[in-house]
């Protein structure tokens, strides 16, 4: 297999730092920063999403997340609000001034998603959707690339290489747990991979402790571990009423838990500011 | 997770038998038949593919396979001939009268791929590319749905359910090996899954012993095992000069080995005719 | 890691065929034979085990299995009858004339187990219990070495090498499923490993379709697949009343199913005689 | 499967804190402490081990580790010094006053190992060696129980339950990485399991970042992550000359790296004292 070269550490003088402009000032992702992305799994409605966004903004979260197009194992599960979800995201961005990230699942949605968000997310199921990778490789906004459930570190970097090779240098890798035999947790977060990728690549690496565990009670300890291992940030699911979430409720934090997590990682070294 | 219902055994009176018309007569896939699909991993050129097709036709292979769009881990690996590959496939179909199957990776390629092939293949990396599944759910040609590398049986059936729910009842499931810790073989073929899916679903199930093992020497024994476990057919990589194949050479059979495999599964019960 | 050499194919002129003397004649295990080992998971009582043994003898099963010492995940589960179980096995051997195999878990039990059985089994949890391997390497009876749940093929052969290097050349490898993310089946039988080990080693390889699947309905198709892939035999759990078995009931065959399995693998090539 | 009850959180008023007496004062393992165990993989010689022990003592390491009986995949690899190794351990304990831990592989070695060490270790390959578990369940010294390579959290706790049920309440669980498809690291450390077990059990949980990663460069970040996730301590491989280690050299820290790790986890909250 031809190796990754653009993603490799030796190819750049230093680490890649990604800058996202926003009315609230520039948000940076990369070595030396600890960037927090939070929001509900899906954008469920204007009434659900806007108050959540305001709350997260007040806490000091840097970037909002919210899914408009949701990849669901079953065709009978809630599939997201689609374009209506994008509109709510755009309005939220306008009202709060915060940058937003949302998932793109289909290359034909590129323009719409591009217009409503500041970063684009490629989900774990699409990590090797090469058509989609080539497409987001041609835009000028950052892409968060989640690791596939059974993707090796090499394949993950090579998926990033597809985007880099197509011209987009703003790639953020996101470890979100791999699939193992363990069934008490939804996935097994590969904390060693986070440390290893920081060593062999110059790209920023963040961790999604929500999907990695599937259990609310594990999100905070795993988030702490991620930062301790060298992750450049977190992507966390939060819901004002986790028990009523249309998707991923069991792994969503309440705002109180989110606040506690933020306090926890704002350690004496002041990585979160 | 909402369950599969259209793919479940109880939903139909009997097993689904898929009929593919061809100049050589109807090819059937499903319980009671043993259908053999063979060809090279990629369509490499007219000179490479046509003679191979003639040879496979002479052996009694039922359907030709050949990739025009190739999903490759690295952006620097051979990506397939694209539309030129589709043209060669169409010409081969015309010349030999055999049905052909090729992979579709991007919903925007649907018309082109539809016009040049008799069956469409969804590769393992795209098993949960839900946009693509919904798209092929709206056509009137059979779809071979490969199991994802880390997909559970339930997720595989639910991916099939996306296609069925969109209106296309011609779904063929293909087990091609899952990813485990074992590294001597490329993947681990889940033979128990073949038997189990035949029990819980009415859909045809075939096995790809080439990707499942990654080693030429294992293709024949695993193909025999697949048929013994109840698989309805095989999908096998064959190349006139395996050592010069542009992709998947180490797992490609020579024509002589393919002939031996066919003889091997034409057992006294005469399942291959 | 130092490689296996005694277990490697090149080290012997031909395949190892193991001969087990019995009052009913010699039982052979190895290439060219298809040897069937059957019995209940545990020896539960004289009344349970003797009638089962008589029934299996009448069917043509070659070797009886029955556990006296049972490795159980929980200390609160039935742990086997221990020495009383060994006595029942010895009596059954005496009455039926059939060879018996039972598991050894502790090197301190070697003499007792040796005296009551014709073959010794090392269970998957003890595949790398090196003290035990060295101990059974010093006896003159065959050893069935089950593959560990997460053991690579290389580690499995190296575990066999421990026995061979200690002087016992009568090693039979048994594939019984590895642990993967799939949860509908108890384990995932690695059929490719069976074919591969037959190619790289001269040792006999058998398959345990009962533990490999955990589901009665899958035992027969997986057993058929094992033979088709080149396995030299089967080890199957059978119980006169599977639903009342003290352990492994859901994967135990009824005698009728066992009879059907035997008929099934006595194919036109007459591998089972 | 009968559940663990003695290992479950609800069974005790608070968390289990294990106290190990030593000439240097009592060493505690459990919630609220951060205990560091370090030493070479194997005790290689008096000349190799004693100077290392002195160095680790000077750094503030709490407990020494060193293998006398080494479980090795190959019978041709260095198997440890055996009883000579135990003698060196005993002498080191005498000279330094530090508690020592070493692995027991065979129930017949219990007296010898008991006499030379303060804690006994059950290795991952023996996690379900139930004879051994029952044996160490009858002693009055703490037991470190490593998680098996493919053991679920439930099986790990049930293995601990074997020891508890036999009467020994001093059980320390050690996460050391599970086996997954990822091959760039030796194993995948399950950091979520550490957090989860701390929630569902009262037993101390430590992490072995050396075996968990197999790579020296990952030991420190993974150790930091372990502590951040709530682990009660670490077990780390250190060698004065890692490149000349008879086993596990690539994952062994130099003394300088060990010192840096200690400094790193002696964070402002002063968990290591």
């Amino acid at each position: 297999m031809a190796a990754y070269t653009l993603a490799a550490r030796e190819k750049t003088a230093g680490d890649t730092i990604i800058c996202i402009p926003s009315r609230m000032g520039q948000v940076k992702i990369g070595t030396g920063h600890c960037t927090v992305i939070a929001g509900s799994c899906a954008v469920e409605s204007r009434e659900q999403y806007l108050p959540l966004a305001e709350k997260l903004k007040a806490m000091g979260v840097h970037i909002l997340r919210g899914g408009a197009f949701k990849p669901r194992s079953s065709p009978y599960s809630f599939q997201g609000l689609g374009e209506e979800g994008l509109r709510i995201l755009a309005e939220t961005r306008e009202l709060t001034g915060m940058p937003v990230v949302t998932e793109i699942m289909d290359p034909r949605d590129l323009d719409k998603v591009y217009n409503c968000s500041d970063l684009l997310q490629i989900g774990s199921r699409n990590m090797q959707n090469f058509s989609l990778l080539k497409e987001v490789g041609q835009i000028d906004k950052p892409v968060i690339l989640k690791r596939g459930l059974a993707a090796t570190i090499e394949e993950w970097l090579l998926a990033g290489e597809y985007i880099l090779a197509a011209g987009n240098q703003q790639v953020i890798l996101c470890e979100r747990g791999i699939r193992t035999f363990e069934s008490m947790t939804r996935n097994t977060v590969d904390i060693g991979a986070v440390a290893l990728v920081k060593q062999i690549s110059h790209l920023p690496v963040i961790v999604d402790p929500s999907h990695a565990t599937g259990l609310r009670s594990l999100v905070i300890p795993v988030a702490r571990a991620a930062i301790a291992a060298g992750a450049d940030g977190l992507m966390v699911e939060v819901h004002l009423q986790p028990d009523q979430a249309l998707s991923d409720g069991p792994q969503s934090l309440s705002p109180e838990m989110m606040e506690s997590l933020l306090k926890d990682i704002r350690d004496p070294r002041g990585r979160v500011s």
Side-chain angles (χ1 to χ4, degrees), chain A:
Chain A
M1 163 164 45
Y4 52 91
T5 54
L6 301 173
R9 171 153 293 288
E10 46 269 24
K11 295 298 148 181
T12 57
D15 285 2
T16 290
I17 308 287
I18 288 168
C19 300
I20 301 136
S22 86
R23 270 206 339 260
M24 309 187 56
Q26 208 175 44
V27 174
K28 293 186 179 176
I29 305 182
T31 305
H33 302 271
C34 180
T35 314
V36 180
I37 304 168
S40 52
C41 172
V43 175
E44 299 175 5
S45 70
R46 206 174 168 283
E47 293 64 40
Q48 173 268 336
Y49 198 71
L50 262 173
L52 172 66
E54 293 290 359
K55 201 139 204 167
L56 295 172
K57 179 182 176 181
M59 283 181 206
V61 162
H62 303 99
I63 299 172
L64 291 172
R65 61 154 288 158
F69 301 103
K70 298 299 307 169
R72 303 303 299 277
S73 296
S74 166
Y76 309 123
S77 299
F78 173 57
Q79 307 272 315
L81 296 183
E83 298 191 27
E84 168 65 9
L86 293 178
R87 273 189 294 275
I88 297 170
L89 272 181
E91 183 186 354
T92 306
R93 177 169 63 162
E94 185 58 32
L95 290 174
T96 61
M98 291 177 74
V100 302
V101 56
T102 199
E103 178 165 352
I104 178 163
M105 291 173 61
D106 189 321
R108 296 169 299 183
D109 293 328
L110 187 60
D111 285 350
K112 285 176 287 196
V113 174
Y114 179 92
N115 288 331
C116 298
S117 63
D118 302 280
L119 304 90
L120 276 69
Q121 177 182 317
I122 302 286
S124 56
R125 293 173 178 85
N126 279 317
M127 192 201 83
Q128 291 192 318
N129 181 336
F130 301 114
S131 299
L132 195 54
L133 296 178
K134 288 173 183 171
E135 211 64 40
V136 298
Q138 292 168 40
I139 63 171
D140 59 1
K141 288 190 175 175
V143 176
I144 296 180
L145 178 63
K146 290 201 154 188
R147 181 179 180 186
L149 273 171
T152 61
I153 293 171
E154 186 174 27
E155 288 170 341
W156 188 23
L157 288 169
L158 281 167
E161 189 86 2
Y162 265 94
I163 304 173
L164 297 166
N168 186 345
Q169 305 307 310
Q170 303 184 76
V171 174
I172 299 152
L173 300 168
C174 180
E175 161 67 30
R176 44 78 77 213
I178 57 174
R179 186 163 272 178
T180 69
F181 58 82
E182 180 55 60
S183 59
M184 271 202 193
T185 48
R186 181 169 173 179
N187 295 294
T188 301
V189 62
D190 187 354
I191 208 76
V194 173
L196 182 56
V197 173
K198 286 298 295 176
Q199 291 173 10
I200 62 180
S201 173
H202 56 86
L203 295 173
V205 181
I206 64 173
V207 170
D208 172 348
S210 309
H211 286 87
T213 61
L215 294 171
R216 191 178 304 145
S217 70
L218 300 182
V219 170
I220 293 181
V222 166
R224 286 171 48 90
I227 300 303
D232 300 312
L234 300 170
M235 182 175 233
V236 185
E237 289 187 343
V238 188
H239 197 283
L240 291 185
Q241 292 164 296
D243 296 336
Q244 292 171 37
L246 294 184
S247 54
D248 285 351
Q251 72 197 32
S252 296
L253 296 188
S254 65
E256 294 69 35
M257 292 182 83
M258 185 66 205
E259 211 146 16
S260 155
L261 182 158
L262 285 167
K263 205 168 124 190
D264 224 27
I265 57 173
R266 270 189 201 108
D267 67 17
R269 298 182 197 90
R271 294 195 61 192
V272 178
S273 59

